[in-house]
């Protein structure tokens, strides 16, 4: 089988390597020609343009996009004149499922299949495999099965759930046809919203532990500073690196995210290499929007999203307004 990959960055490049290792031919296109050149030894065939990428593939052609959500429409437009009925475009990035519905309708009018496929695995996916959440019609999914099987981690990634017998299902092998167009990206969107919440829970909990020595710190005794009751109760200098290592073993809060946290703390115990300005690429927002539109309570996921906004200083005006009000009603001045 052959496939064309558009976007050979951290994800697209590693996915290309994994497919090549599985014996699937890969042609690649990227704005940076060095990205394709770096994969030439692995067997990737570089294509300088959309038309030449299509020409390198046999029908039904599969074009898999690994590009930012903002570029998907323009990249699709660069291919539509070169594709034929029965060909497949896969959006493997993080797009809003609402856009998938529109794009599928537009492409279906040309006889081209659209598949949205959420991909989770990050920079470790080359060796660990990728969890794949796909939306689209049955015919396109059938063509893509060898690709999904090659990219997915396989059933050995996790112990089988008690009660499941017989041949492992696609979900057990690490990929799932979630439903019609948009279903894959909707599942990936909420997956990432949950990820925000999990990450925020770890971050807040460890932050509390990092302040457990508050009783040892000098504290101002004035009208602007809340007193610390019983400072003798807060005299702990806790080792976060050791605690995260401990929690990795036998704890109910163990996870891959905790593994990565422990790894980061072992390398940089004070996390001095980080500024703490946390980005959000869209999925957390779309998760909260989905919750609002469907009247589904999601307070934890919403709070995790807003915490990321705060980390980047997006609440600067609000904080200044708070200080201004306190000065106005009580003459309270800011502490620096």
């Amino acid at each position: 089988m052959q496939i064309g990959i558009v976007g050979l960055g951290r994800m697209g490049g590693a996915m290309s390597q994994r497919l090549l290792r599985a014996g699937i031919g890969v042609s690649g296109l990227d704005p940076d020609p060095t990205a394709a050149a770096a994969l030439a030894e692995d067997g990737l065939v570089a294509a300088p343009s959309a038309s030449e990428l299509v020409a390198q593939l046999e029908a039904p052609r599969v074009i898999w996009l690994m590009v930012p959500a903002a570029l998907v429409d323009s990249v699709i437009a660069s291919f539509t004149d070169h594709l034929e009925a029965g060909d497949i475009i896969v959006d493997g990035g993080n797009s809003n499922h609402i856009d998938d519905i529109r794009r599928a309708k537009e492409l279906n009018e040309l006889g081209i299949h659209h598949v949205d496929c959420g991909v989770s695995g990050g920079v470790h996916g080359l060796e660990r495999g990728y969890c794949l959440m796909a939306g689209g019609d049955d015919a396109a999914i059938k063509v893509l099965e060898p690709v999904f099987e090659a990219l997915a981690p396989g059933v050995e990634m996790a112990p089988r759930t008690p009660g499941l017998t017989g041949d492992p299902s696609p979900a057990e092998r690490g990929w799932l046809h979630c439903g019609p167009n948009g279903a894959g990206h909707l599942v990936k969107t909420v997956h990432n919203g949950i990820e925000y919440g999990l990450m925020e829970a770890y971050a807040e909990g460890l932050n509390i532990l990092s302040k457990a020595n508050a009783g040892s710190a000098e504290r101002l005794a004035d009208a602007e500073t809340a007193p610390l009751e019983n400072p003798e109760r807060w005299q702990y200098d806790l080792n976060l690196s050791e605690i995260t290592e401990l929690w990795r073993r036998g704890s109910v809060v163990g996870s891959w995210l905790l593994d990565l946290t422990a790894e980061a703390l072992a390398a940089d115990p004070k996390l001095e290499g980080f500024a703490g300005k946390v980005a959000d690429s869209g999925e957390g927002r779309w998760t909260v929007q989905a919750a609002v539109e469907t009247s589904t309570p999601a307070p934890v996921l919403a709070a995790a999203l807003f915490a990321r906004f705060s980390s980047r200083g997006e609440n600067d005006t609000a904080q200044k307004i708070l200080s201004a009000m306190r000065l106005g009603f009580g003459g309270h001045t800011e502490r620096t």
Side-chain angles (χ1 to χ4, degrees), residues 215-254:
S216 302
E218 183 177 347
R219 201 173 184 89
L220 293 174
D222 59 20
E224 303 302 322
T225 307
L228 178 65
E229 296 183 12
N230 308 115
E232 68 276 6
R233 298 178 181 176
W234 304 104
Q235 301 284 332
Y236 305 105
D237 290 312
L238 301 175
N239 187 319
L240 299 189
S241 179
E242 289 295 303
I243 290 168
T244 52
E245 284 295 336
L246 170 69
W247 286 353
R248 292 180 62 211
R249 294 165 174 84
S251 166
V252 296
V253 300

Side-chain angles (χ1 to χ4, degrees), residues 83-103:
L83 295 175
E84 300 174 348
D87 291 342
I88 303 168
I89 290 181
V90 183
D91 179 3
N94 288 321
S95 289
N96 192 323
H97 84 282
I98 296 171
D99 291 324
D100 294 317
I101 296 171
R102 169 182 56 80
R103 290 168 184 152

Side-chain angles (χ1 to χ4, degrees), residues 237-311:
D237 290 312
L238 301 175
N239 187 319
L240 299 189
S241 179
E242 289 295 303
I243 290 168
T244 52
E245 284 295 336
L246 170 69
W247 286 353
R248 292 180 62 211
R249 294 165 174 84
S251 166
V252 296
V253 300
S255 73
W256 188 36
L257 286 173
L258 183 62
D259 295 344
L260 296 174
T261 303
E263 183 179 329
L265 286 167
D268 185 1
K270 295 186 180 299
L271 300 177
E272 294 174 338
F274 300 90
K277 296 181 179 180
V278 188
D280 71 289
S281 56
E283 303 81 41
R285 302 182 187 211
W286 302 333
T287 300
V288 173
Q289 289 168 355
V292 171
E293 290 193 27
T294 60
S295 302
T296 306
V300 171
L301 305 190
L305 173 65
F306 294 144
R308 294 194 176 199
F309 296 165
S310 295
S311 78

Side-chain angles (χ1 to χ4, degrees), residues 8 20 44 53 72 77 136-137 141 160 162 165 180 207 213 219 222 237 271 285 287 330:
L8 301 172
L20 289 163
L44 182 136
L53 181 62
V72 172
D137 62 71
I141 297 297
R160 295 197 78 181
T165 59
N207 193 41
N213 64 349
R219 201 173 184 89
D222 59 20
D237 290 312
L271 300 177
R285 302 182 187 211
T287 300

